[in-house]
Amino acid sequence: MSKLTPVVWPKVILFGDSITQYSFQPHGWGAEIANKLARKCDVVNRGLSGYNSRWGRMVLPRLLSQSSAERVAAVTLFFGANDSSLEDKNPQQHVPLQEYCENLKDMGRFLSSAGVPSDRLIFITPPPVDEPAWEKECLLKGCPLNRRHAAAGQYAEACVRAAGQVGADVLDLWTLMQQDGRDFRPFLSDGLHLSQDGNQFLAQQLWRLLEGRVADLPFILPYWGDVDHASPESSLLCDL
């Protein structure tokens, strides 16, 4: 058999903390995006539960090299829910506000240097925090409330600034979930992570930003009805 040209799917890479890692669970926002992009893109989950932007910046070069950045259609950077935890209550995950902003910019610059242009980057801000619900979770774990709604908002503002400074797009989840006086609490499962409604909301908002970036990507390999049944090789083994 003659050497065949490999079929290479473009990639959408989701990089972030637990809200990204959990996004492939049933009804998750990552799974929803992957479903929309079936036969067009591989949606790659690189969520790391508990990570902050400091650790994300350190490991990103291990996850994406210049060679693996080929055919990347988009990258989401979704950190802040851990960075914004209170320093006196959760020093292990807390990252100071200015460092958080610089970490995001450093990751954006690294991706650009690796071959992912800034117009393919989407920063996502941390969501709001339902303090009473999250305090219940903290007490179950034997610790005091370690996140505040207002602090998450400050980190969301810093994320928006960082995106603007590197030329990336941004999905301001903290603001959108509260827009026009909306009650954001149903979007959260435990006060911090996303509920099914929250996952659906994020998927809808993200798709608005992604759709234009992937609209021109072709359907990979022919639709079954277009395969020449008398000579399938002519349809399936040709260069794409």
Side-chain angles (χ1 to χ4, degrees):
M1 180 181 290
S2 60
K3 187 175 181 180
L4 301 177
T5 303
V7 178
V8 180
W9 260 252
K11 296 187 288 286
V12 171
I13 299 173
L14 313 179
F15 184 46
D17 54 33
S18 59
I19 304 178
T20 297
Q21 180 177 320
Y22 302 159
S23 73
F24 274 25
Q25 292 180 343
H27 310 292
W29 62 272
E32 177 70 18
I33 295 300
N35 182 56
K36 287 180 178 292
L37 291 176
R39 295 282 292 272
K40 285 195 168 189
C41 271
D42 282 339
V43 178
V44 182
N45 187 331
R46 291 294 179 264
L48 302 165
S49 178
Y51 275 50
N52 55 32
S53 65
R54 181 185 296 159
W55 302 342
R57 178 183 59 80
M58 291 180 183
V59 302
L60 180 57
R62 302 187 67 187
L63 304 180
L64 187 77
S65 64
Q66 191 162 5
S67 60
S68 64
E70 295 177 6
R71 303 204 71 188
V72 171
V75 177
T76 62
L77 290 176
F78 191 1
F79 288 95
N82 296 318
D83 299 70
S84 60
S85 58
L86 304 178
E87 183 177 13
D88 59 334
K89 301 294 193 299
N90 187 9
Q92 184 178 4
Q93 291 177 301
H94 171 79
V95 171
L97 187 62
Q98 186 56 41
E99 183 191 342
Y100 166 72
C101 188
E102 293 302 319
N103 288 339
L104 293 181
K105 290 190 288 185
D106 284 348
M107 286 189 277
R109 294 187 191 108
F110 169 79
L111 288 165
S112 294
S113 70
V116 182
S118 59
D119 62 1
R120 297 184 188 176
L121 305 182
I122 300 172
F123 288 18
I124 305 175
T125 76
V129 176
D130 179 0
E131 292 181 17
W134 184 243
E135 185 172 26
K136 291 179 181 178
E137 294 294 318
C138 291
L139 292 174
L140 289 173
K141 298 174 183 177
C143 62
L145 177 66
N146 55 24
R147 286 166 175 80
R148 292 287 186 183
H149 177 68
Q154 293 175 333
Y155 281 71
E157 291 175 358
C159 180
V160 171
R161 289 197 303 274
Q165 289 169 4
V166 298
D169 214 334
V170 63
L171 197 167
D172 186 355
L173 195 60
W174 194 87
T175 298
L176 288 168
M177 282 187 167
Q178 303 176 80
Q179 201 166 43
D180 301 323
R182 177 187 282 122
D183 180 4
F184 66 84
R185 291 173 297 178
F187 291 137
L188 304 173
S189 63
D190 56 7
L192 180 68
H193 300 94
L194 301 182
S195 65
Q196 183 173 332
D197 287 345
N199 275 281
Q200 185 63 34
F201 181 82
L202 175 50
Q204 290 173 349
Q205 298 296 327
L206 181 58
W207 183 247
R208 292 176 185 176
L209 299 180
L210 275 177
E211 190 171 14
R213 292 172 168 84
V214 299
D216 295 333
L217 293 176
F219 195 67
I220 297 177
L221 292 172
Y223 175 67
W224 73 268
D226 295 331
V227 174
D228 182 349
H229 71 279
S231 177
E233 296 87 352
S234 64
S235 301
L236 302 179
L237 303 184
C238 60
D239 289 339
L240 299 178

